[in-house]
């Protein structure tokens, strides 16, 4: 009995050895590694087998990690191991694409390798690795497309307005390299193609930047659309592409100061004029047109008018309507001048411009308005300089008048005034010493006192202290006045001072103006060079 049991056991062991030898031969035919693209399916290998062998397949690990049974069972559905006992062929097939995007979606794993275990019989088994390669299946994808963007017109060149990579995705789990981005022609409506104003300077960056500045007001005035269309393109390394559009609308901003209606470019400063009267009251008539300013921005703001004070002017005599710009005269205006009209936008920025109003009076007087752009400080400085110059000139004039007056007064005070009856040739003798000599009656004293010295006796008609020659009538004092017409051709008798007359000197002749006769010199005498060493003796008419 014991012998029989040993024989049975030995037979079973022999059978196992035979089977083990058969599985080993089959397992050795299975490759250790299989490389697959995620899109590949179908038969991977066929091996011969013993019809009595039993085979099984299980998923051991994914990416080198042991997973939950549920996830391993899901991966197992992608493979099929078939043993055909009729043909004694063992076949291994991939029945479904190893879609990496699908694995990521259902088991949240980005698969790169799968460990499979082939088992033959009870003891023999072999593990192999299935390496899954990514395939660029999908083109770049714009999420939430199309796009719109609103930008203000004051953006500067080079400003980034849109970042394309933030809006592009790729459904491929493992993509080879990055994307390139372009702005293609917008063929649907070429008039709004924005390639003239926008660009993607570096295709790999995908940054849409402003190439040329945009003026909303210019577009609006020319009747052009105030938006642009950009045809955005994303391309991967295998030249798979996708497209979408970006609508860029332009927003007007308050970037222009008010403009007076009479000042058309290239006008730099508006200049108005008006004429008024000193005592006029009421609204002024402004020329060449009424005061009016407008915000040139398309969606313009209202304008507020004010009068600016001018240092040399009388702005308080006028007022202006802050909304209409009408200017009213409220006080008397005594002189011409210039008013500064300021137009300010009723906005947060309060941009402004100003104009000049030249005010003239009824007689046509006026002043020249200050140069455009000249500051108030310049006007004040010039006014002070003019006042200083006028003050200095006035002071010099006053000093000259005083000097002339003093000099003239001194000359008048020193001048000798004859005390006669109005006829020329008489003179007053005022020196005290000479009067004493005259009262003594002595010829010697008279000569010593210089009263009768011809060289020192001044006459109105003489030159210096030289005595003019005397005619006979003037020397004696007895001649009668003759007309110049009768004596025109008659040479007068001239006494040169050498003759001497007898008689006694009467002092009343010199002191009594009512009794004396004047000595008249002939105006026709040519010889005025009398020798001063000679004496002149004049007799008294009373003897």
């Amino acid at each position: 009995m014991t012998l029989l049991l040993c024989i049975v056991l030995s037979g079973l062991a022999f059978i196992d050895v035979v089977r083990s030898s058969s599985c080993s031969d089959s397992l050795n035919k299975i490759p250790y590694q299989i490389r697959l693209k995620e899109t590949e399916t179908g038969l991977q290998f066929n091996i011969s087998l013993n019809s009595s062998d039993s085979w099984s397949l299980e998923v051991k690990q994914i990416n080198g990690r042991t997973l939950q049974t549920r996830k391993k069972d899901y991966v197992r559905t992608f493979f099929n191991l078939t043993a055909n006992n009729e043909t004694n062929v063992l076949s291994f097939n991939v029945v479904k694409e190893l879609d990496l995007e699908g694995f990521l979606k259902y088991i949240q794993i980005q698969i790169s390798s799968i460990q499979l275990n082939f088992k033959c019989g009870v003891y023999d088994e072999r593990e192999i690795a299935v390496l899954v390669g990514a395939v660029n299946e999908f083109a770049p994808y714009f999420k939430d497309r199309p796009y719109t963007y609103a930008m203000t017109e004051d953006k500067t060149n080079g400003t980034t307005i849109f970042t394309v990579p933030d809006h592009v995705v790729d459904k491929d789990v493992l993509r080879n390299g990055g994307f390139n981005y372009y702005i293609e022609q917008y063929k649907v409506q070429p008039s709004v193609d924005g390639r003239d104003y926008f660009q993607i300077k570096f295709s790999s960056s995908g940054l849409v930047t402003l190439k040329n500045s945009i003026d909303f007001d210019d577009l609006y005035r020319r009747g052009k659309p105030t938006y642009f269309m950009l045809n955005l393109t994303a391309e991967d390394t295998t030249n798979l592409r996708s497209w979408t559009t970006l609508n860029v609308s332009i927003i007007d901003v308050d970037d222009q100061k008010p403009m007076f209606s009479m000042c058309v470019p290239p006008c730099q400063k508006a200049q108005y004029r008006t004429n008024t009267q000193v005592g006029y009251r009421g609204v002024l008539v402004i020329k060449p047109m009424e005061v009016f300013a407008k915000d040139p921005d398309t969606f313009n703001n209202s304008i507020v008018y004010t009068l600016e004070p001018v240092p040399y002017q009388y702005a308080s005599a006028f007022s202006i309507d802050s909304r209409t710009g009408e200017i009213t005269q409220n006080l008397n205006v005594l002189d011409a001048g210039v008013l500064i009209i300021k137009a300010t936008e009723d906005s947060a920025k309060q941009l402004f411009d100003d104009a000049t109003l030249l005010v003239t009076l009824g007689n046509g007087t006026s002043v020249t308005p200050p140069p455009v752009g000249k500051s108030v400080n310049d006007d004040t400085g010039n006014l002070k300089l003019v006042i200083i110059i006028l003050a200095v000139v006035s002071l010099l004039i006053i000093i000259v008048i005083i000097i002339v007056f003093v000099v003239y007064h001194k000359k008048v005070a020193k001048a000798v005034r004859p005390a006669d009856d109005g006829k020329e040739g008489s003179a007053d003798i005022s020196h005290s010493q000479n009067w004493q000599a005259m009262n003594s009656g002595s010829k010697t004293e008279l000569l010593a006192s210089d009263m009768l010295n011809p060289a020192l006796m001044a006459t109105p008609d003489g030159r210096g202290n030289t005595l003019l020659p005397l005619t006979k009538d003037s020397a004696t004092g007895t001649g009668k006045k003759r007309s110049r017409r009768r004596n025109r051709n008659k040479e007068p008798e001239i006494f040169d001072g050498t003759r001497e007359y007898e008689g006694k000197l009467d002092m009343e002749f010199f002191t009594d103006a009512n009794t004396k006769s004047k000595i008249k010199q002939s105006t026709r005498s040519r010889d005025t060079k009398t020798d001063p060493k000679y004496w002149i003796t004049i007799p008294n008419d009373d003897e």
Side-chain angles (χ1 to χ4, degrees):
M1 191 67 177
T2 303
L3 180 62
L4 181 62
L5 180 62
C6 289
I7 293 172
V8 170
L9 292 175
S10 298
L12 292 174
F14 177 77
I15 294 172
D16 289 337
V17 170
V18 172
R19 287 182 177 178
S20 176
S21 174
S22 174
C23 285
S24 297
D25 293 339
S26 299
L27 289 175
N28 289 332
K29 296 177 182 178
I30 298 175
Y32 283 101
Q33 187 181 83
I34 298 176
R35 291 182 177 275
L36 296 173
K37 296 293 185 181
E38 63 172 321
T39 57
E40 292 183 33
T41 60
L43 179 64
Q44 302 303 314
F45 61 82
N46 284 327
I47 60 173
S48 61
L49 52 78
N50 193 322
S51 60
S52 60
D53 295 338
S54 64
W55 290 82
S56 65
L57 175 66
E58 65 176 340
V59 177
K60 295 285 289 185
Q61 292 181 332
I62 297 177
N63 295 344
R65 295 185 302 168
T66 302
L67 302 179
Q68 299 174 356
T69 302
R70 180 184 63 84
K71 293 183 178 180
K72 290 192 294 183
D73 292 342
Y74 173 76
V75 175
R76 174 66 179 80
T77 62
F78 286 80
F79 305 99
N80 182 31
L81 183 64
T82 305
N84 191 336
N85 293 327
E86 294 181 358
T87 59
N88 295 327
V89 174
L90 179 67
S91 301
F92 175 68
N93 293 275
V94 177
V95 298
K96 294 189 296 186
E97 291 182 356
L98 299 173
D99 184 20
L100 299 182
E101 293 77 29
F103 286 134
L104 183 62
K105 179 179 180 180
Y106 292 107
I107 64 175
Q108 292 78 46
I109 296 176
Q110 184 173 310
I111 294 178
S112 61
S113 67
I114 303 172
Q115 296 296 118
L116 298 177
N117 185 42
F118 291 84
K119 188 174 183 180
C120 180
V122 179
Y123 306 105
D124 295 328
E125 60 185 22
R126 183 167 187 154
E127 289 186 4
I128 69 171
V130 178
L131 304 180
V132 183
V135 176
N136 187 22
E137 304 174 77
F138 305 99
Y141 176 75
F142 288 95
K143 57 184 180 180
D144 303 325
R145 60 182 183 180
Y147 308 106
T148 59
Y149 179 80
M151 60 165 283
T152 56
E153 61 173 331
D154 58 350
K155 298 292 185 183
T156 58
N157 293 346
T159 302
T160 299
I161 67 165
F162 194 77
T163 304
V164 181
D166 293 345
H167 304 273
V168 176
V169 294
D170 192 344
K171 292 183 179 180
D172 294 308
V173 173
L174 297 174
R175 56 189 170 96
N176 300 320
F179 301 130
N180 291 321
Y181 306 93
Y182 310 96
I183 298 179
E184 303 287 347
Q185 181 182 1
Y186 186 72
K187 298 180 180 180
V188 178
Q189 188 178 353
S191 61
V192 295
D193 187 0
R195 290 180 301 166
D196 290 339
Y197 297 95
F198 302 94
Q199 66 178 350
I200 296 178
K201 192 171 184 180
F202 302 103
S203 60
S204 60
S205 69
L207 300 179
V208 180
T209 59
L210 184 64
K211 181 167 64 173
N212 293 310
S213 59
I214 303 174
D215 187 355
F216 178 93
D217 306 292
D218 179 64
L219 295 175
Y220 190 86
R221 282 193 296 267
R222 293 191 291 125
K224 299 293 184 179
T226 56
Y227 69 93
F228 298 96
M229 297 297 297
L230 301 180
N231 183 9
L232 301 179
T233 302
E235 182 182 65
D236 64 15
T237 54
T238 59
N239 298 326
L240 294 177
R241 312 177 100 195
S242 61
W243 299 266
T244 189
T245 58
L246 171 63
N247 183 318
V248 182
S249 59
I250 312 303
I251 300 175
D252 185 30
V253 297
D254 185 14
D255 60 345
Q256 299 187 69
K257 65 182 181 179
M259 180 181 295
F260 286 89
S261 58
M262 71 161 294
C263 191
V264 179
C267 169
Q268 295 182 355
K269 189 70 64 177
Q271 296 182 350
Y272 297 93
R273 65 182 184 275
T274 186
N275 188 272
T276 184
Q277 301 295 330
V278 173
Y280 174 73
R281 298 291 186 273
V283 177
L284 298 177
V285 178
I286 308 299
K287 294 181 179 180
M289 62 180 64
E290 296 179 351
V291 174
F292 179 76
K294 182 181 179 181
D295 181 4
D297 291 309
T298 302
F299 304 105
N300 57 78
N301 299 289
S302 57
I303 303 299
V304 178
Y305 300 94
T306 55
L307 288 179
E308 292 296 301
V310 182
Y312 61 87
Q313 193 47 268
Y314 41 75
S316 59
F318 303 90
S319 62
I320 188 169
D321 191 299
S322 62
R323 292 299 175 184
T324 64
E326 283 188 344
I327 300 177
T328 303
Q329 180 177 332
N330 304 315
L331 301 175
N332 288 348
V333 177
L334 303 179
D335 198 2
V338 176
L339 296 176
I340 303 298
I341 306 170
K342 184 178 180 180
T344 307
E345 288 182 3
D346 189 6
S347 63
K349 291 187 177 181
Q350 291 189 333
L351 300 177
F352 68 90
D353 195 10
D354 53 46
T356 58
L357 173 62
L358 176 61
V359 181
T360 59
L361 298 182
N363 57 5
T365 59
S366 65
V367 296
T368 302
V372 175
K374 187 175 182 181
S375 65
V376 171
N377 294 332
D378 294 338
D379 294 334
T380 305
N382 293 339
L383 180 61
K384 291 181 179 180
L385 180 61
V386 172
I387 293 175
I388 292 174
I389 293 175
L390 291 177
V392 172
V393 173
S394 300
L395 181 61
L396 292 176
I397 293 175
I398 293 174
I399 293 174
V400 171
I401 292 175
I402 293 174
I403 294 174
V404 171
F405 178 77
V406 171
V407 172
Y408 176 77
H409 186 270
K410 287 183 178 180
K411 289 184 177 181
V412 170
K414 292 181 179 181
V416 178
R417 295 181 178 85
D420 57 6
D421 56 357
K423 298 180 181 179
E424 59 179 330
S426 63
D428 294 333
I429 302 174
S430 60
H431 198 278
S432 59
Q433 180 181 359
N434 294 341
W435 282 114
Q436 293 176 2
M438 291 172 63
N439 291 330
S440 66
S442 171
K443 182 184 298 185
T444 305
E445 292 182 4
L446 286 173
L447 292 175
S449 64
D450 297 333
M451 286 190 63
L452 299 180
N453 190 345
L456 299 179
M457 293 178 63
T459 63
D461 297 331
R463 299 293 185 265
N465 292 327
T466 304
L467 184 65
L468 294 176
L470 300 178
T471 62
K472 181 178 181 180
D473 292 335
S474 61
T476 59
T478 58
K480 296 182 180 180
K481 184 177 181 180
R482 298 178 181 178
S483 66
R484 293 183 178 180
R485 180 174 297 178
R486 293 177 56 189
N487 297 329
R488 180 176 301 174
N489 298 322
K490 185 177 179 181
E491 292 293 332
E493 185 178 356
I494 299 175
F495 293 86
D496 57 2
T498 58
R499 297 184 61 180
E500 186 173 334
Y501 298 87
E502 295 292 334
K504 184 179 179 180
L505 180 63
D506 186 1
M507 295 303 299
E508 291 182 357
F509 174 83
F510 300 95
T511 60
D512 191 355
N514 295 325
T515 59
K516 72 178 182 178
S517 296
K518 297 176 66 175
I519 302 173
K520 182 177 180 182
Q521 300 178 3
S522 174
T523 58
R524 297 179 58 85
S525 176
R526 301 292 183 180
D527 188 7
T528 59
K529 298 181 180 180
T530 305
D531 191 345
K533 70 180 180 178
Y534 296 104
W535 296 349
I536 298 177
T537 302
I538 302 174
N540 192 353
D541 292 341
D542 293 337
E543 290 185 354

